[in-house]
Amino acid sequence: MHRGKGMKFVGDSRVPAVRKPNIPKDYSEYPGKTEAFWPNFLLKEWLVGAVFLIGYLCLTVAHPSPLERIADPTDTGYIPLPDWYFLFLYQLLKYSYASGPYNVIGAFIIPGLAFGGLMLAPFLDRSTKRRPTQRPLATGFMLLALAATVFLTWQAVAHHDWKKAEEQGKIVAEVDVDKNSDGYKLFKQNGCINCHGENLQGAVGPSLVDTGLKPEEIAKIAKNGKPPGMPPGQFKGTDEELKKLSEFIANLKSK
């Protein structure tokens, strides 16, 4: 453009002789490269969203959320497990340097430093490059955080006793337990309550409601144990007391 072409002097300023509005070209001038926002683009977005929504709804119908028995805060033998996105923090609290007397380190200090580091990211890495190889600091921190999260999540899943947790979480039918009966008193005196719960609904040990066992079979288990969880010699009473206890347990039926 030559000097002064298309311009005219207005006082000491130079302005274009013909003003053109700052309007972008119509999308039709770029065939195959763009399209109308309404309705073409939005229709495609809605269709994709509908497919994912229907798929998600089908998944929830086919695999409903697992329900467990009513929470019992007195059950110290229950094995808790948080949602999958908290598993890495849950696993962190299992290590000796982040649990017990050092629980503050695992619960606050380490997560605080990790997530607080995100606030420092714009100041630590101010590069304008886009390739990961040209931004070693940001790439290194990202890979370290990803590796730590994946490893801790995998450790939490691998070391969780899924079978025992499933057994503990089973919904047990309600049963009326006569806590004034001789059988219940023997159940409590012999320490059975520690493993099978106050209402015999199960805790560390299995539920004793609706066992389907005969009194003789229950007496045999109480005396000789049942591997792998129940060792022999747990019952310390007489044969007459053992008979009362076994009949009490055998008659426990859910509503």
Side-chain angles (χ1 to χ4, degrees), residues 7 10 16 33 36 76 84 90-92 109 112 114-115 125 156 161 174 217 232 236 247:
M7 310 295 282
V10 180
K33 296 183 179 180
T76 57
W84 63 269
Y90 170 72
Q91 179 64 22
L92 182 64
I109 296 179
F115 290 105
D125 181 43
D161 193 339
E174 294 183 0
E217 296 174 317
K236 307 295 183 184
E247 290 177 349

Side-chain angles (χ1 to χ4, degrees), residues 69 72 74-79 161 163-165 167-169 191-198 201-207 228-231:
R69 60 184 174 87
D72 182 8
T74 63
D75 183 7
T76 57
Y78 181 77
I79 303 175
D161 193 339
K163 186 176 181 180
K164 189 174 182 180
E167 200 65 37
Q168 288 181 340
C192 307
I193 192 172
N194 298 328
C195 293
H196 298 283
E198 184 179 2
Q201 77 280 3
V204 178
S207 170
M230 184 173 176

Side-chain angles (χ1 to χ4, degrees), residues 27 30-34:
Y27 72 93
Y30 303 93
K33 296 183 179 180
T34 185

Side-chain angles (χ1 to χ4, degrees), residues 12-66:
D12 4 347
S13 303
R14 296 203 306 171
V15 295
V18 180
R19 283 187 173 273
K20 294 183 179 180
N22 190 19
I23 300 176
K25 293 182 180 181
D26 188 78
Y27 72 93
S28 59
E29 296 188 26
Y30 303 93
K33 296 183 179 180
T34 185
E35 60 182 332
F37 180 75
W38 171 267
N40 301 21
F41 180 78
L42 282 183
L43 181 60
K44 291 180 180 179
E45 293 290 306
W46 291 340
L47 287 174
V48 172
V51 169
F52 276 94
L53 178 60
I54 294 172
Y56 180 75
L57 292 176
C58 292
L59 186 63
T60 57
V61 171
H63 300 279
S65 300

Side-chain angles (χ1 to χ4, degrees), residues 9 27 39 42 58 83 85 107 118 127 148 158 183-184 202 207 226 228 241:
F9 288 98
Y27 72 93
L42 282 183
C58 292
D83 291 320
Y85 42 83
L118 294 174
S127 173
Y184 186 83
S207 170
K226 184 178 181 181
E241 292 175 333

Side-chain angles (χ1 to χ4, degrees), residues 41-213:
F41 180 78
L42 282 183
L43 181 60
K44 291 180 180 179
E45 293 290 306
W46 291 340
L47 287 174
V48 172
V51 169
F52 276 94
L53 178 60
I54 294 172
Y56 180 75
L57 292 176
C58 292
L59 186 63
T60 57
V61 171
H63 300 279
S65 300
L67 298 178
E68 295 187 357
R69 60 184 174 87
I70 298 176
D72 182 8
T74 63
D75 183 7
T76 57
Y78 181 77
I79 303 175
L81 189 70
D83 291 320
W84 63 269
Y85 42 83
F86 285 128
L87 281 177
F88 68 101
L89 292 174
Y90 170 72
Q91 179 64 22
L92 182 64
L93 295 175
K94 294 182 180 181
Y95 298 118
S96 58
Y97 58 81
S99 60
Y102 308 107
N103 193 50
V104 175
I105 297 177
F108 296 102
I109 296 179
I110 295 179
L113 291 174
F115 290 105
L118 294 174
M119 300 178 64
L120 299 176
F123 304 98
L124 295 175
D125 181 43
R126 306 181 69 175
S127 173
T128 58
K129 307 292 184 181
R130 300 190 65 180
R131 292 181 179 275
T133 54
Q134 296 175 333
R135 303 178 65 176
L137 192 63
T139 304
F141 279 136
M142 182 194 68
L143 292 177
L144 179 63
L146 181 63
T149 303
V150 171
F151 174 76
L152 290 174
T153 302
W154 174 77
Q155 285 285 303
V157 173
H159 291 86
H160 184 68
D161 193 339
W162 294 96
K163 186 176 181 180
K164 189 174 182 180
E166 182 182 359
E167 200 65 37
Q168 288 181 340
K170 280 184 178 179
I171 299 176
V172 180
E174 294 183 0
V175 61
D176 291 327
V177 180
D178 184 5
K179 296 184 178 180
N180 295 319
S181 65
D182 294 335
Y184 186 83
K185 291 177 181 178
L186 290 169
F187 173 81
K188 193 172 182 180
Q189 288 173 6
N190 285 272
C192 307
I193 192 172
N194 298 328
C195 293
H196 298 283
E198 184 179 2
N199 295 315
L200 293 87
Q201 77 280 3
V204 178
S207 170
L208 298 181
V209 180
D210 288 332
T211 60
L213 300 176

